[in-house]
Amino acid sequence: MKSPVYDIAIIGGGINGCGIARDAAGRGLSVFLCEQNDLAGGTSSASTKLIHGGLRYLEYYEFRLVREALREREVLLNAAPHIIWPLRFILPHHKGLRPAWLIRLGLFLYDHIGGRKILPGTTSVNLKSDAAGKVLKANYSMGFEYSDCWVMDSRLVVLNAMDAAAKGASIKTRSPLLSAARTGKTWQLQLLDKTGNKTYQVEARSLVNASGPWLDELLNHISHTETKEHIRMVQGSHIIVKKLFDHERAYIFQNEDGRIIFAIPYENEFTLIGTTDKDFHGHPDEVAISPEETDYLCQAASEYFLRGITRDDVVSSFSGVRPLFDDGKSDAKAATRDYVLKLDTGKNEAPLLSIYGGKITTYRKLAESVLARLKPFLPGMGADWTETSVLPGGDFRPDAFDFSVRELQSRCPVLNTKLATRLFRTYGTCAYAMTDTIRDRKDLGISFGQDLYGFEVDYLIAEEWARCASDVLWRRTKLGLFLSAAEAEKLDSYIKTKVSAAEQISPVTDEEK
């Protein structure tokens, strides 16, 4: 049987690629997406995990980007209230940093240019009397408090992929592109199925390069018109320490070098500190936090917190490469975070659209922009639809989270409150179906530690493309912070046995070989 000709093929399983796949599939297009490793395996799982307007981008006059991002906060909050929730930020102030009047002006714009309806506005805060000031040094006596949102970044990617697949998209992980060549009005893609070590072909009418930091490298394997545009790879690193404060608000700190860092409550027991901004010239696969970045983040946070932070306090860290559009600016922190789309039609041939830059907050608008650019080549495309739709598991009111956890426990009394809360926070209403057959403790399946059981892992294998322990422990959840090496090894062995058995039953189809 001959394989189908897809309307659109997408390279890259990060937030942009999966967001485009979901939007396109919902418009009635046939969609193919390939990812060389796991979903969110690169930049999209290494963010500061914020849905935010980007307060500091106002200094660089990026008003369009900030306005769009601020508006998207509440759109995404309504779409996925299990993995996105409001977060208040404390901005301490003292002389020598940005003047108070400038901060007030910036926060006034931040409150009003994005059409805020749900999130509370900015207030002043007395750090001498407020609980947020008790962990700060004495010279910070006043500050401001404003709103943004927190997001489980890698889960946002997976939910978009799940919704795309539910609408008919073909999502192939661990399937790197080998080459893509135009054959007139279609693209012929050569791909490798790494799991089965087999090559296969896909044909599509349009091609989107959403490979992020790999964009320039991948263009060497794709037929394209020569271009002067390039990505600028900027490394952002974060450290995780035992929690530094007990309240649920975050901090945004201004540094003397003009940069800012965040200190954010993380996974109940930790504080996330980041990020750095420095140009990166290596291979994206090899990005890792440097000792200098670790020292920078420790020192920057120690300027504010009463308790000094050193390398010895770091329990984990992560680093990613932001694929920004190279706008020629010398300072990495000033490089635009806005996205740029480049359309290449060759000699009136099948279109190639390459994505430079972007940020997780504006991925949905980026997807709409991509499909608007491709519409002349795909005339059967439906209209915009994602603004008022929910992502898998998000069909409950944002203010009904606690009620929903109790509902989950009433349906499945075997679950303790800690596990029920984590399940609903991670999967939303999908947790109901996941636990529907659990009647007693034996139905939970094998225990891997930290309330991670076989039933959840089986769900992640079947529904969320999990294929190894790191997929589960670092991208579907953050339980990697808690499980021991032996427990992680036990989990990895379990997953690989399950996946191997499933692949023997459902091998790669003939048309994909």
Side-chain angles (χ1 to χ4, degrees):
M1 185 175 72
K2 190 178 186 301
S3 61
V5 179
Y6 292 95
D7 290 317
I8 181 171
I10 302 163
I11 309 165
I15 188 59
N16 289 335
C18 291
I20 295 164
R22 176 196 182 221
D23 193 342
R27 295 170 188 256
L29 298 177
S30 57
V31 178
F32 174 87
L33 180 145
C34 64
E35 161 56 41
Q36 63 177 337
N37 296 310
D38 183 30
L39 298 173
T43 307
S44 296
S45 58
S47 77
T48 311
K49 307 181 194 315
L50 300 178
I51 298 295
H52 67 138
L55 181 60
R56 70 183 181 89
Y57 304 150
L58 291 173
E59 291 186 303
Y60 302 107
Y61 308 108
E62 299 224 37
F63 297 114
R64 190 211 66 80
L65 173 63
V66 175
R67 181 183 296 109
E68 182 175 275
L70 288 171
R71 187 173 182 275
E72 284 299 289
R73 292 181 310 181
E74 298 192 3
V75 172
L76 297 179
L77 177 60
N78 285 319
H82 48 320
I83 64 163
I84 300 173
W85 58 91
L87 186 61
R88 294 288 279 175
F89 287 79
I90 301 294
L91 176 76
H93 183 264
H94 74 89
K95 293 180 180 178
L97 300 178
R98 294 168 178 83
W101 68 266
L102 181 61
I103 295 172
R104 288 192 186 96
L105 176 60
L107 288 169
F108 178 83
L109 289 172
Y110 207 70
D111 275 348
H112 291 91
I113 66 174
R116 175 180 55 85
K117 296 178 181 177
I118 301 173
L119 299 173
T122 298
T123 60
S124 296
V125 58
N126 183 342
L127 296 175
K128 292 297 184 182
S129 58
D130 192 283
K134 293 181 179 179
V135 295
L136 301 178
K137 291 181 177 178
N139 54 318
Y140 299 104
S141 60
M142 63 86 65
F144 305 92
E145 183 175 331
Y146 70 94
S147 293
D148 267 322
C149 291
W150 171 260
V151 62
M152 295 179 174
D153 53 2
S154 52
R155 288 213 55 78
L156 183 63
V157 176
V158 171
L159 295 186
N160 274 271
M162 289 174 66
D163 208 23
K167 291 173 170 56
S170 176
I171 309 293
K172 299 293 185 183
T173 62
R174 290 168 170 82
S175 194
L177 178 80
L178 301 178
S179 66
R182 286 184 172 109
T183 57
K185 293 299 182 181
T186 64
W187 286 94
Q188 291 286 342
L189 280 62
Q190 295 282 341
L191 301 116
L192 172 66
D193 169 24
K194 291 198 295 187
T195 304
N197 196 29
K198 299 176 181 178
T199 60
Y200 63 101
Q201 294 184 353
V202 166
E203 188 175 7
R205 296 181 180 87
S206 60
L207 181 62
V208 173
N209 186 352
S211 57
W214 290 268
L215 186 147
D216 283 346
E217 175 187 325
L218 204 60
L219 282 177
N220 294 326
H221 304 279
I222 298 174
S223 301
H224 69 284
T225 305
E226 290 301 317
T227 178
K228 295 181 180 179
E229 282 83 17
H230 296 282
I231 59 167
R232 177 177 184 171
M233 294 194 292
V234 175
Q235 180 172 343
S237 298
H238 299 76
I239 58 174
I240 299 168
V241 301
K242 287 290 186 181
K243 69 177 181 179
L244 300 171
F245 46 90
D246 290 325
H247 58 80
E248 296 182 351
R249 290 170 288 177
Y251 295 90
I252 175 173
F253 295 146
Q254 309 170 77
N255 300 329
E256 291 185 359
D257 62 3
R259 290 179 41 211
I260 59 97
I261 65 165
F262 295 97
I264 304 170
Y266 192 60
E267 296 298 316
N268 298 317
E269 298 183 20
F270 304 95
T271 299
L272 175 67
I273 300 173
T275 179
T276 58
D277 275 299
K278 71 170 189 175
D279 285 309
F280 180 76
H281 302 288
H283 194 277
D285 289 332
E286 300 169 353
V287 65
I289 190 170
S290 67
E292 293 75 20
E293 287 179 297
T294 299
D295 289 341
Y296 175 88
L297 292 173
C298 289
Q299 181 179 354
S302 296
E303 287 293 316
Y304 284 83
F305 287 117
L306 277 171
R307 173 190 157 192
I309 301 164
T310 69
R311 289 190 195 180
D312 293 338
D313 295 306
V314 178
V315 299
S316 187
S317 63
F318 59 89
S319 191
V321 178
R322 304 184 193 96
L324 307 182
F325 179 69
D326 190 352
D327 56 6
K329 293 182 179 178
S330 59
D331 190 349
K333 73 175 184 293
T336 182
R337 266 57 177 177
D338 209 347
Y339 52 84
V340 176
L341 309 179
K342 293 296 179 180
L343 182 65
D344 171 12
T345 57
K347 298 178 180 179
N348 195 28
E349 298 170 294
L352 164 67
L353 194 146
S354 296
I355 300 169
Y356 298 78
K359 57 200 299 281
I360 195 166
T361 305
T362 54
Y363 86 89
R364 192 193 65 82
K365 293 297 292 183
L366 181 149
E368 288 184 342
S369 298
V370 165
L371 292 169
R373 295 291 297 275
L374 292 177
K375 187 172 183 178
F377 308 94
L378 302 169
M381 180 188 304
D384 293 352
W385 66 277
T386 58
E387 183 172 348
T388 57
S389 65
V390 298
L391 285 159
D395 51 338
F396 67 98
R397 294 198 328 271
D399 61 354
F401 181 85
D402 291 340
F403 172 83
S404 300
V405 171
R406 293 192 295 272
E407 173 69 13
L408 178 60
Q409 282 187 286
S410 71
R411 291 183 178 212
C412 185
V414 176
L415 304 177
N416 61 49
T417 300
K418 180 180 179 183
L419 177 55
T421 301
R422 182 180 69 77
L423 290 176
F424 202 85
R425 176 60 76 198
T426 306
Y427 307 105
T429 57
C430 293
Y432 296 147
M434 182 196 301
T435 58
D436 192 47
T437 60
I438 297 174
R439 298 290 178 266
D440 52 43
R441 291 198 62 82
K442 73 175 188 300
D443 295 331
L444 295 173
I446 187 171
S447 172
F448 301 100
Q450 295 296 320
D451 274 342
L452 177 65
Y453 294 96
F455 80 91
E456 182 179 356
V457 177
D458 291 347
Y459 171 87
L460 292 173
I461 293 170
E463 304 295 335
E464 296 195 6
W465 298 274
R467 294 295 179 266
C468 65
S470 61
D471 295 354
V472 171
L473 297 180
W474 296 109
R475 287 177 288 279
R476 306 309 184 277
T477 74
K478 288 296 180 285
L479 291 174
L481 290 166
F482 302 97
L483 263 66
S484 68
E487 289 169 331
E489 186 175 344
K490 177 182 176 182
L491 172 64
D492 200 52
S493 177
Y494 176 88
I495 294 172
K496 288 178 178 176
T497 299
K498 283 271 186 176
V499 170
S500 178
E503 285 167 352
Q504 289 176 16
I505 297 172
S506 303
V508 176
T509 58
D510 289 339
E511 63 265 26
E512 290 179 341
K513 291 180 182 177

